[in-house]
Amino acid sequence: MWRWAGPLAALLVFTLVAWVLHHQLAHLHVKRVLAHLHAIPPRQVLEALGFTALSYWLLSTYEMLALRYLRRPIPYRRIVFNSFIAYSFSHTLGFAAFTQTAIRLRLYATARISAIDVATVSAFCSVSFGIGLATVAGLSLVLSPAHAARLLRLHENWAVLVGALLLAAVCAYVLWACFARGTLEIRGWALRAPGPRIGLAQLTLGVLDISLACAVLWSLLPSSAHVHYITFLGVYAAAVIAGIISHVPGGVGVFEAVILLTLPGAPTDALLGSLLAYRAVYYLVPLVFGTLLFGSKEVSAQRAQLARARELARQYVAPVVPQIAGALSFLSGALLLFSGATPAIDERLAFLDRFLPLPVLEVSHLIGSIVGLGLLVLARALFRRVQAAYHITVWLLLAGIFASLLKGLDFEEATLLMLVLAVLILGRRSFYRPTAILEERFSPAWVVSIIGVIVTAVWIGMISYRHVSYSHELWWTFALDGNAPRMLRASLTVVVLGACYVLLNLLRPARPEPAVAGPAELERARPLIEASDQTLANAALTGDKRLLFSDAGDAFLMYQTTRRSWVALGDPVGSPQGAEELVWRLREMSDHHGAATVFYQVSAERLALYVDLGLAALKIGEEARIPLADFSLEGGARAELRQAHRRAQRDGASFEVVPAERVAQLLPLVQPISDAWLAAKSTAEKGFSVGAFSAQYLQQFPLAVVRAGGQPVAFANLWTTGTHAELSVDLMRFDPSAPRSAMDYLFIELMLWGRSAGYRWFNLGMAPLAGLEAHPLAPAWHRVGNFVFRHGEHFYNFEGLRRYKAKFDPAWEPRYLVARGGLALPRVLVDISVLIAGGMKELFVR
């Protein structure tokens, strides 16, 4: 239930602000506001556009400083492109920390910028903006306390105190940035002081950014406002701070309420017209240009230039199409709902009346509002790359374009919908998930967002037609000038349909959750395991995990749950399309239960899939894989292996691979070996990522056996692949009386046997915590892991294990833990430890 606290609080704040604005604007008429909006001189609009362009260019310098701080050289043209796209959408949508990071993560993916670096860039930009905002607000409160106290309804002493605290915080940051040495640890993040050049540049650029953004609105104010720029700068900073604190997307309503309340001397209708113009110039115009960058590229007649344009689109545009399309769909839906709540232009209605019958206009108005609701609902499915959502959204946008033209010749609205349609069509290949739309459950934030838009549309309609007296006859009034009745019917339809869909989504029974896999599920998974190139897929046959199958049955995912985490082992097994579906479904199921989604021991090839879920990847070690095609005991590099092999042969060791159908006969002979090995190690059977000694489990695989004197002294069960791509071992145990080099002998014989059987790779398993970054500025997890790797020999022989595997000259491939970062990481590691070791302290098995 706590997941609903934040979204509901934002909805409550927005409702309170709407109530304040409702009373503040009680005497206004929409046509007077629009008249003042159209009366703004073109010179002022051009000035505002110029300040907007400078402001967005200045925002790109934040990004440039952040990448310089990270020492990541990126071409300046690409920095400007990425910055403009990120800010144009985050300013309009709000939730800057989420939207900016998500868009940057996709835009910088081709530049090999990691998720941690992208998060650092976003945090750096937010800090730079915050420094500028605090400086401007603090100076305004300190230098003009009387005026600030009067506008903000504060006592002068409180105004000075708040201003001094803001400036003190800025000074503390600047001093730390300029003179601090070493790193600062905050919630697991190691922060390096940026130095005087970057720190002072942050302060300067932050103040300039706020000043330019303020200049946009100040240049649009009516002449009757009679407010100086310096004075207004403090008011603007206070309004921005109020919008950020409210957590309302884009600060919509909160920002306007603060401006209206702090400038009581200006005519309210004229001031509201200026605020609408500010929203259009500083938010919508950049959003349109950002959409154009995604929706079209200059196409030249020359083939080489066309190929270059396509390559640029592939690098810059394709990675973020789902996020951009989902955001634009949501905005388009809000636009249609708001349009349906406001009166059409009389001249355009009169023109339509000459060619169209009244029922066409009435039906088009209603369809436009219904389409708007549909686009709001489908936005989440577009974020999640659902194929059906793409096709339905295309048709809804087409219907919305025709409805906009037929209900009032709204060319501007139709043009924006065409741009969104173009972006969607250009990115059609990004929508490939076959999941049904009704299977996409809404999160609390999405439910509250949809409700907020619907409530706002209804409120706009009430404000727009305040002068129309309500009567029951309005519902049945159909006339050319019957804008208010059309608004009432459309609002009721949208509210009813929206409530029904949200309730259907929230109350719909969830899919039955898989229990621990039984014989039927294991048999269903076996063909997929045989077709896999990864031996880890055999871990599903241990019988201690749950199996989640795709709808088409062409992929499965193995996982297990704890009270706090749902942990999947390895990548999904099967087709890429099925894998995508399963990853999203596990995330939705775990979110529904309030648990963390974790993917343990996954490969680098699938990281982009997990990043789309909003998860962070942490390297947990390296897997040793030996190419078998050229494996032999010849040459100086293999002298140690050759000697161990000969020593075991002199001690009477022999090797054989027993087929799975004959393993049952050997179990009474190898059971004592397993018991002696467990007793010598003072440990018990493990689970989850490894198998346990049981007749049912071992009889499913071939068994490699080492004999001495004719009796078994060591054994290992083999994980194989039907494609012969990889060979590996799971349980590997030996008797204390076995020859000293029995394990080396077992590995060598297995590799030689695998080579002769046509296997391409032998997997020696993972070396935990190997290969982590040792740089002083590496993330805290890497530095902690390196410390444990080097000094944790009392608990586990990390370095010795890696050295042992290294003598086989393997190729090292990274393996990752994918989960939410931050303070939840220790909890996740504990949960994985419980699953593997049954509550014991050892995290990995020798």
Side-chain angles (χ1 to χ4, degrees), residues 389-463:
Y390 162 79
H391 293 293
I392 297 176
T393 303
V394 168
W395 287 108
L396 285 181
L397 287 171
L398 288 171
I401 292 169
F402 283 104
S404 299
L405 296 174
L406 294 176
K407 73 179 182 180
L409 284 182
D410 198 335
F411 298 108
E412 301 84 355
E413 184 178 298
T415 302
L416 290 174
L417 295 178
M418 287 179 188
L419 290 176
V420 176
L421 180 62
V423 171
L424 204 61
I425 292 175
L426 287 174
R428 59 187 178 277
R429 294 183 180 178
S430 299
F431 305 96
Y432 47 79
R433 288 186 61 208
T435 307
I437 295 175
L438 290 178
E439 297 296 331
E440 298 293 314
R441 283 190 175 273
F442 282 139
S443 65
W446 275 97
V447 171
V448 170
S449 298
I450 292 173
I451 293 174
V453 171
I454 294 174
V455 170
T456 303
V458 173
W459 175 71
I460 290 175
M462 294 172 60
I463 289 292

Side-chain angles (χ1 to χ4, degrees), residues 16 110 122 188 199 222 268 297 299 326 384 412 431 436 458 464 479 485 579 634 706 718 722:
L16 292 174
T110 55
S122 295
T268 305
K297 289 282 181 184
V299 179
R384 294 175 178 254
E412 301 84 355
F431 305 96
V458 173
S464 300
E634 305 299 326
V706 174
L718 303 186

Side-chain angles (χ1 to χ4, degrees), residues 535-598:
T535 52
L536 186 60
N538 290 276
L541 301 176
T542 59
D544 63 349
K545 288 175 284 295
R546 308 178 187 212
L547 300 185
L548 186 64
F549 288 89
S550 64
D551 289 336
D554 59 352
F556 76 88
L557 181 149
M558 47 185 158
Y559 73 101
Q560 192 49 277
T561 66
T562 67
R563 186 174 62 86
R564 302 172 300 184
S565 304
W566 288 38
V567 185
L569 177 63
D571 296 312
V573 179
S575 71
Q577 294 78 11
E580 175 100 7
E581 173 193 340
L582 292 170
V583 165
W584 280 104
R585 197 194 302 173
L586 183 69
R587 173 65 188 273
E588 292 160 0
M589 291 167 58
S590 59
D591 282 352
H592 178 67
H593 287 269
T597 311
V598 184

Side-chain angles (χ1 to χ4, degrees), residues 544-545 685-692 835-838 845:
D544 63 349
K545 288 175 284 295
E685 296 285 4
K686 306 297 189 298
F688 189 62
S689 62
V690 292
L835 288 174
I836 294 176
V845 182

Side-chain angles (χ1 to χ4, degrees), residues 628-633 727 750-759:
L628 295 180
D630 56 353
F631 177 80
S632 72
L633 297 179
L727 173 69
L750 271 176
M751 293 177 195
L752 294 173
W753 177 85
R755 184 188 65 180
S756 63
Y759 288 93

Side-chain angles (χ1 to χ4, degrees), residues 679-717:
K681 300 297 182 182
S682 300
T683 187
E685 296 285 4
K686 306 297 189 298
F688 189 62
S689 62
V690 292
F693 190 99
S694 73
Q696 182 179 5
Y697 172 63
L698 291 178
Q699 290 178 47
Q700 301 179 81
F701 308 100
L703 198 69
V705 180
V706 174
R707 300 178 185 270
Q711 294 297 318
V713 293
F715 72 91
N717 70 305

Side-chain angles (χ1 to χ4, degrees), residues 153-167:
R153 274 64 170 179
L154 292 173
H155 190 275
E156 287 189 32
N157 293 337
W158 282 108
V160 173
L161 177 61
V162 173
L165 290 176
L166 289 174
L167 293 176

